[in-house]
Amino acid sequence: MEIITGYTGKPHVTSDQGRDVNIGIMGEGSYVLQTGMQLAAEVSSNNEIKIRDGVLMHQGCTASIKKNTYDSLAITNGSQGMKRVDLIVARYEKNRVNGIESIDLKVIQGTPAESNPAAPQCIEGDIQAGDYVADMPMYQVIIEGLNITEVKEMFKVIGSNKDLTDKLGLQMLLNTDEQQIYTMYGGQIKVVSGTKVVNINMNAGYALLFGVDELKALFGDNYASTRLAMNTYNADTIAQAVHFYAPEIWNREVYQYFYPINHSGNMRINYKLEYVYDFEN
């Protein structure tokens, strides 16, 4: 084991380590981040496209165009009466001699055709597997005759953790040693999870986990059992070495069934309840 984000008295952090951290947080794909102009494309003329500022993450490798600047890309002239599709990629390259790495924007020129021109191929590559070249497709440039008629975005913009939280409408309502309660989607789903000790009778084979009054207190007086989903787990297999069946609702109350039934005394149950309120159409 070696530390990554820490001082060791000498250079020690590798690009592979940095990319692995990014992949663990954001995923192993290639994305544009929600910052700056998000690498927006601007057609300046039929021979130039400007890529505005922003940040991308290509298989864990980050690169940027500085704020309030742009990269200029030259587009080769089209041909009268012909069509063509060029491809703009962010190309990762690693020098085979000195190991220096880079990411630059490149234009891969397509083959002209009278109709239905095909987009050129790019180099897929796997950076973490040691490939020396790996392309991230950014834009398709559609050229008809002498004119650029369309620039098609090909990348995915990925949001931040805050965006995900806002989208889910996640709100913590209660957090104690025994129970956590939070809502999602603007309060339309309520999740209750925690642990509880119940008493079981010899040869009964079941125990009451939540009574009607408890469920009303959690989900409202109009609580409906048909809107409730549940998961339960035996939290102490030493004290009560039993196997759990799925929990069941009977007369609007939640019961935990188990086997074998020749057990009595206290039993701890971990649970998760999800209650769905009315969604607006």
Side-chain angles (χ1 to χ4, degrees), residues 26 34 158-170:
M26 304 297 289
Q34 286 188 345
I158 192 167
S160 65
N161 288 338
K162 181 181 181 301
D163 294 327
L164 178 60
T165 299
D166 291 343
K167 183 177 180 179
L168 291 177
L170 191 65

Side-chain angles (χ1 to χ4, degrees), residues 2-278:
E2 59 180 324
I3 192 168
I4 298 176
T5 54
Y7 177 69
T8 66
K10 61 181 180 179
H12 67 95
V13 180
T14 68
S15 56
D16 282 344
Q17 288 173 326
R19 287 191 289 263
D20 275 339
V21 171
N22 289 336
I23 289 171
I25 296 172
M26 304 297 289
E28 61 184 9
S30 298
Y31 318 99
V32 169
L33 306 187
Q34 286 188 345
T35 182
M37 295 290 291
Q38 298 178 15
L39 303 177
E42 176 186 310
V43 178
S44 296
S45 71
N46 288 319
N47 296 109
E48 182 189 33
I49 291 179
K50 296 177 179 178
I51 306 298
R52 293 292 179 178
D53 60 90
V55 178
L56 61 79
M57 183 175 293
H58 180 25
Q59 299 179 24
C61 186
T62 54
S64 72
I65 297 175
K66 292 181 180 179
K67 285 188 178 298
N68 303 316
T69 67
Y70 60 86
D71 281 4
S72 178
L73 299 174
I75 304 298
T76 301
N77 283 331
S79 305
Q80 192 71 45
M82 303 292 283
K83 299 179 180 181
R84 195 178 82 222
V85 179
D86 289 355
L87 186 63
I88 297 175
V89 301
R91 174 165 291 174
Y92 163 88
E93 290 187 275
K94 183 175 182 178
N95 188 289
R96 293 174 182 267
V97 177
N98 58 27
I100 292 176
E101 298 170 291
S102 63
I103 289 185
D104 295 295
L105 294 174
K106 304 285 185 180
V107 178
I108 304 175
Q109 186 173 322
T111 302
E114 291 185 358
S115 62
N116 300 318
Q121 298 294 312
C122 63
I123 302 172
E124 292 186 3
D126 186 335
I127 298 174
Q128 293 302 82
D131 289 345
Y132 289 97
V133 181
D135 288 340
M136 172 183 173
M138 299 292 292
Y139 292 98
Q140 282 187 356
V141 182
I142 311 302
I143 302 169
E144 296 187 8
L146 302 177
N147 300 316
I148 295 175
T149 60
E150 187 179 4
V151 179
K152 293 183 178 179
E153 185 177 293
M154 299 184 69
F155 55 81
K156 179 180 180 180
V157 177
I158 192 167
S160 65
N161 288 338
K162 181 181 181 301
D163 294 327
L164 178 60
T165 299
D166 291 343
K167 183 177 180 179
L168 291 177
L170 191 65
Q171 181 184 9
M172 178 66 72
L173 301 180
L174 175 67
N175 187 358
T176 69
D177 290 340
E178 292 189 351
Q179 194 174 72
Q180 292 184 340
I181 302 175
Y182 57 92
T183 62
M184 298 187 298
Y185 299 101
Q188 297 296 336
I189 296 179
K190 190 173 187 179
V191 180
V192 180
S193 60
T195 185
K196 190 175 186 181
V197 175
V198 299
N199 188 267
I200 59 176
N201 296 321
M202 179 66 70
N203 296 325
Y206 65 88
L208 175 65
L209 184 56
F210 287 100
V212 173
D213 290 340
E214 291 178 282
L215 294 169
K216 285 183 177 180
L218 289 171
F219 305 119
D221 290 338
N222 294 324
Y223 146 74
S225 59
T226 53
R227 296 180 177 273
L228 184 62
M230 302 167 291
N231 293 99
T232 56
Y233 310 91
N234 185 354
D236 192 350
T237 56
I238 297 177
Q240 297 294 346
V242 297
H243 298 280
F244 277 16
Y245 294 109
E248 293 188 8
I249 297 174
W250 188 70
N251 285 342
R252 303 180 70 202
E253 296 183 317
V254 177
Y255 288 84
Q256 178 60 56
Y257 290 80
F258 57 88
Y259 70 95
I261 65 174
N262 58 337
H263 286 260
S264 64
N266 290 333
M267 177 168 65
R268 181 173 290 277
I269 299 175
N270 290 347
Y271 59 85
K272 181 179 181 182
L273 310 178
E274 294 185 12
Y275 190 80
V276 181
Y277 295 90
D278 288 322

